[in-house]
Amino acid sequence: MHHQLLNMPLFLLSVLCLYSSHASVPALRFSAFLDPTHQIYLRWDHNAEEAIMTFELQAHSTGWVSFGFTNNKEITGADFVIGGILPDGNVYFSDWHGVSEDTVLEDENQDYELLSLTQDATSTTMAFRRYFRTCDEDDLDITGDTLRLMAGYGTDDTINFFEGRIVHKSLYMMLLSTEDELHSPSIYHVYDLKVDDVSITSLKTKITLDSFSDRFNFEPRITPRNETLVHHILVYACGNASVLPTGVSDCYGADPDFALCSQVVVGWAVGGGSYMFPDETGISIGTPLDAQWVRLEIHYSNFNLIPDLIDNSGIRIYYTPELRPYDMGVLHTGLFTFPIHFIPPGVDSYMSYGICNTSQFEEMNGAPVPDMHMFGYLLHTHLAGKGVRGVLYRNGEQVTVLCEDNKYDFNLQETRNLKETVIFKPGDEFLVECQYQTLDRTDVIFGGPSTLNEMCLIFLFYYPRNNISSCLGYPDIQYVANELGQEASDEMEGMMAINLVDWDNETIKKAEKACKEAEQTVIIKTIDELVRNETSFIREISDTILAPCKDISRAIPAPWLKRQTEYKATPPTTAKALGAKSIFPLPPLLFLSWCFTWLLTSSV
């Protein structure tokens, strides 16, 4: 049967005296808890046409609540709002930014628009919206990168920001759809592809697939308390030339029977969740062309060398006999994971490149390769990675930046969908660029499987499938070593010479330039382990043009906001910086008097 698998204390804010006619908030499709104890819950949605995002934050507190964005969890440069409801029912809400680690300042331009603020006996719910890019230099852009969110709350309305509970979470917010919006099959089955009581030092096993045959949706199944140890999970389809070994073997070990499985079927990495494929496609299993077994590969990071750890993690597969129009494939691209890839120590920003040249795809496939419809991707580097992007070229010209994350977070690696499918044609080139930061390293980082080594990879999801499994590039390391003043007559000597380089600003720049200018060898591999080499060069990348900024204060409010907007008070224009030692709570009676006086004077 042919089936498919689916899928600084701050004590006073300027207060907005509002008439509390709580407007309804539009339906928000996406949601997440922002803390492990589920005390702070965020719902959100975005409108790409209007370039605006709407939020609803619910915190388990009847005091002040806060939400916003940071750079690497730092208060300096943070962009956030604080709001709440006083005991007498008056509402306060204001836009702030961090100027240092113990001081925040109210923005001169208020670019967050309050939609509603409600409170019950235990929780405060605050709904608001903001443009992706405001024209305020104190605001951070909302982008398609991984965003660092900051949220918090206090026990009451005396706002001591730096003594409240503050949490941080990395989140990708430009989601395109929920699983509920996709079409789950009416009939499906579940299969747990996992290891059984494996010692944490055992990294690989192989499991037969002859007992079922369908297409899938998948989700990780991580053994409780091993969440910080399971680094990533890969499921490979094994070529028909392979044989079925028994037991468990080390990743990249000497057993040749484990080596003949290179077609990535499913990829999961730390921070990722479940993923359902689009309605058009699924992974085929059960036909004569499909693998008869797969390899389950699990990488662990046991930095603390905890002994006697046992794991039962793996992937839960959802499969169905209800076939979808196209069988999908995964193309493994980027920089060949080998010590030819190196990153100098002590650098704030260093770029590495790996290119895929598809000119031999049709010959290696054994048949014409139809247009490859790219619909999703998974980015992957290790701890030094700070940004990844993939760029498509045709006839030497850049077609598009297919995917990018300029704020990559190792702890949030997930499969993401493209806004629309992108076509790869035979002869196209695909460049993977990775940005690294190694300020905390004193030795050169080399490419390799360990978490302390590095990788530079993008897994591309596409349909209809072909027989190509990977297309990875690497620079001429002999050329690079020579450019760095080292003698090297072949690749091995070139790799060894990198350890002899005295790293400073000059040699770091030379190394980055040489790796980018060097001829790249492109290794192309098929499902049946046919390997050929091609050559290519790294092309220049045209940066994505940012959309113009927007000022929400000049936006026309929706009709249901009109009354609330009319009653929205403007705080005094005097800038207020509140530092860690500033303590001046405003007595409630004085506050009410101030509000009443402001309303009278503003109406004259």
Side-chain angles (χ1 to χ4, degrees), residues 379-560:
L379 311 177
H380 184 65
T381 78
H382 289 177
L383 298 174
K386 298 301 176 185
V388 186
R389 61 177 169 174
V391 187
L392 176 65
Y393 298 87
R394 183 169 299 144
N395 300 322
E397 300 294 328
Q398 180 172 320
V399 176
T400 186
V401 175
L402 180 80
C403 54
E404 64 181 325
D405 190 341
N406 299 299
K407 297 181 180 179
Y408 176 87
D409 186 346
F410 172 82
N411 294 305
L412 184 66
Q413 301 180 54
E414 56 190 356
T415 302
R416 297 172 180 173
N417 287 326
L418 297 173
K419 291 181 180 179
E420 55 187 24
T421 58
V422 175
I423 303 298
F424 273 35
K425 293 181 177 294
D428 287 354
E429 294 174 306
F430 184 68
L431 174 64
V432 178
E433 175 195 70
C434 293
Q435 180 183 23
Y436 299 96
Q437 185 184 78
T438 62
L439 296 175
D440 60 340
R441 305 289 185 96
T442 56
D443 297 317
V444 177
I445 303 174
F446 288 99
S450 167
T451 308
L452 296 178
N453 295 136
E454 265 306 335
M455 293 186 177
C456 177
L457 303 173
I458 298 180
F459 298 92
L460 295 172
F461 292 8
Y462 72 94
Y463 64 83
R465 70 173 179 181
N466 55 55
N467 292 323
I468 308 300
S469 63
S470 62
C471 185
L472 302 161
Y474 65 87
D476 181 347
I477 193 66
Q478 181 183 347
Y479 170 83
V480 174
N482 294 158
E483 288 295 295
L484 291 169
Q486 303 295 319
E487 293 185 5
S489 58
D490 56 29
E491 285 187 350
M492 184 59 68
E493 288 186 2
M495 287 186 286
M496 295 174 63
I498 299 304
N499 271 321
L500 304 177
V501 176
D502 183 15
W503 295 108
D504 54 28
N505 288 337
E506 182 179 355
T507 52
I508 289 169
K509 290 178 181 178
K510 279 186 177 180
E512 185 179 56
K513 183 173 183 288
C515 287
K516 186 176 182 181
E517 291 178 347
E519 182 180 67
Q520 286 236 338
T521 297
V522 182
I523 302 176
I524 307 169
K525 184 183 289 189
T526 69
I527 296 172
D528 293 321
E529 303 302 315
L530 175 64
V531 179
R532 288 189 185 173
N533 291 345
E534 177 63 275
T535 59
S536 195
F537 288 90
I538 304 303
R539 302 185 184 278
E540 291 300 320
I541 301 175
S542 299
D543 292 332
T544 303
I545 299 175
L546 296 176
C549 65
K550 295 185 177 182
D551 184 352
I552 205 165
S553 65
R554 290 193 293 270
I556 300 174
W560 49 270

Side-chain angles (χ1 to χ4, degrees), residues 289-304:
L289 297 176
D290 296 326
Q292 298 305 302
W293 48 79
V294 298
R295 184 181 78 199
L296 173 65
E297 180 175 305
I298 304 180
H299 292 234
Y300 299 92
S301 294
N302 187 9
F303 286 117
N304 296 321

Side-chain angles (χ1 to χ4, degrees), residues 58-89:
Q58 183 179 71
H60 193 72
S61 169
T62 57
W64 60 268
V65 297
S66 176
F67 172 83
F69 306 92
T70 73
N71 290 311
N72 298 321
K73 302 182 180 180
E74 297 178 357
I75 293 297
T76 304
D79 165 29
F80 58 97
V81 293
I82 299 180
I85 300 177
L86 293 166
D88 60 9

Side-chain angles (χ1 to χ4, degrees), residues 128-145:
F128 49 96
R129 64 181 186 174
R130 205 208 82 175
Y131 283 116
F132 297 166
R133 293 192 69 224
T134 74
C135 299
D136 185 355
E137 63 182 11
D138 294 322
D139 291 339
L140 295 177
D141 290 349
I142 300 173
T143 66
D145 301 320

Side-chain angles (χ1 to χ4, degrees), residues 7-264:
N7 345 295
M8 112 201 122
L10 165 76
F11 284 90
L12 175 66
L13 291 177
S14 292
V15 178
L16 304 183
C17 303
L18 300 177
Y19 177 78
S20 185
S21 60
H22 304 297
S24 61
V25 178
L28 306 177
R29 294 178 294 163
F30 310 112
S31 62
F33 284 103
L34 301 186
D35 64 319
T37 60
H38 292 186
Q39 301 297 298
I40 306 177
Y41 185 62
L42 178 70
R43 296 172 61 237
W44 79 94
D45 209 339
H46 50 85
N47 184 317
E49 185 176 345
E50 296 182 10
I52 200 167
M53 186 168 285
T54 303
F55 309 87
E56 183 181 81
L57 184 79
Q58 183 179 71
H60 193 72
S61 169
T62 57
W64 60 268
V65 297
S66 176
F67 172 83
F69 306 92
T70 73
N71 290 311
N72 298 321
K73 302 182 180 180
E74 297 178 357
I75 293 297
T76 304
D79 165 29
F80 58 97
V81 293
I82 299 180
I85 300 177
L86 293 166
D88 60 9
N90 282 297
V91 171
Y92 57 94
F93 177 84
S94 192
D95 180 6
W96 291 73
H97 66 278
V99 294
S100 68
E101 285 305 300
D102 62 359
T103 304
V104 298
L105 181 70
E106 185 180 21
D107 289 14
E108 292 185 7
N109 297 320
Q110 294 290 303
D111 293 290
Y112 289 81
E113 183 177 15
L114 182 65
L115 304 181
S116 70
L117 223 166
T118 60
Q119 198 170 85
D120 59 23
T122 60
S123 300
T124 300
T125 302
M126 181 169 66
F128 49 96
R129 64 181 186 174
R130 205 208 82 175
Y131 283 116
F132 297 166
R133 293 192 69 224
T134 74
C135 299
D136 185 355
E137 63 182 11
D138 294 322
D139 291 339
L140 295 177
D141 290 349
I142 300 173
T143 66
D145 301 320
T146 296
L147 300 177
R148 271 64 167 180
L149 308 186
M150 177 181 72
Y153 57 83
T155 57
D156 56 35
D157 294 297
T158 302
I159 302 164
N160 187 336
F161 181 76
F162 290 93
E163 292 184 7
R165 185 187 180 210
I166 303 296
V167 300
H168 298 88
K169 185 178 181 67
S170 291
L171 205 62
Y172 174 70
M173 306 197 74
M174 294 299 182
L175 298 171
L176 299 177
S177 62
T178 66
E179 287 194 2
D180 291 340
E181 294 174 298
L182 299 173
H183 295 92
S184 297
S186 59
I187 301 173
Y188 68 89
H189 312 283
V190 173
Y191 184 88
D192 285 340
L193 189 63
K194 68 184 188 68
V195 294
D196 294 317
D197 296 328
V198 170
S199 168
I200 210 74
T201 57
S202 299
L203 300 181
K204 190 183 296 181
T205 188
K206 186 179 280 189
I207 300 174
T208 63
L209 264 183
D210 55 6
S211 60
F212 66 89
S213 44
D214 295 63
R215 301 192 178 185
F216 65 66
N217 166 28
F218 66 88
E219 66 183 22
R221 307 293 288 179
I222 309 301
T223 298
R225 297 181 298 280
N226 284 359
E227 291 87 353
T228 61
L229 299 172
V230 180
H231 175 283
H232 69 267
I233 301 174
L234 291 169
V235 178
Y236 293 92
C238 300
N240 292 330
S242 64
V243 297
L244 180 63
T246 59
V248 173
S249 177
D250 289 338
C251 289
Y252 318 112
D255 188 340
D257 291 338
F258 278 99
L260 296 177
C261 311
S262 62
Q263 172 65 58
V264 176

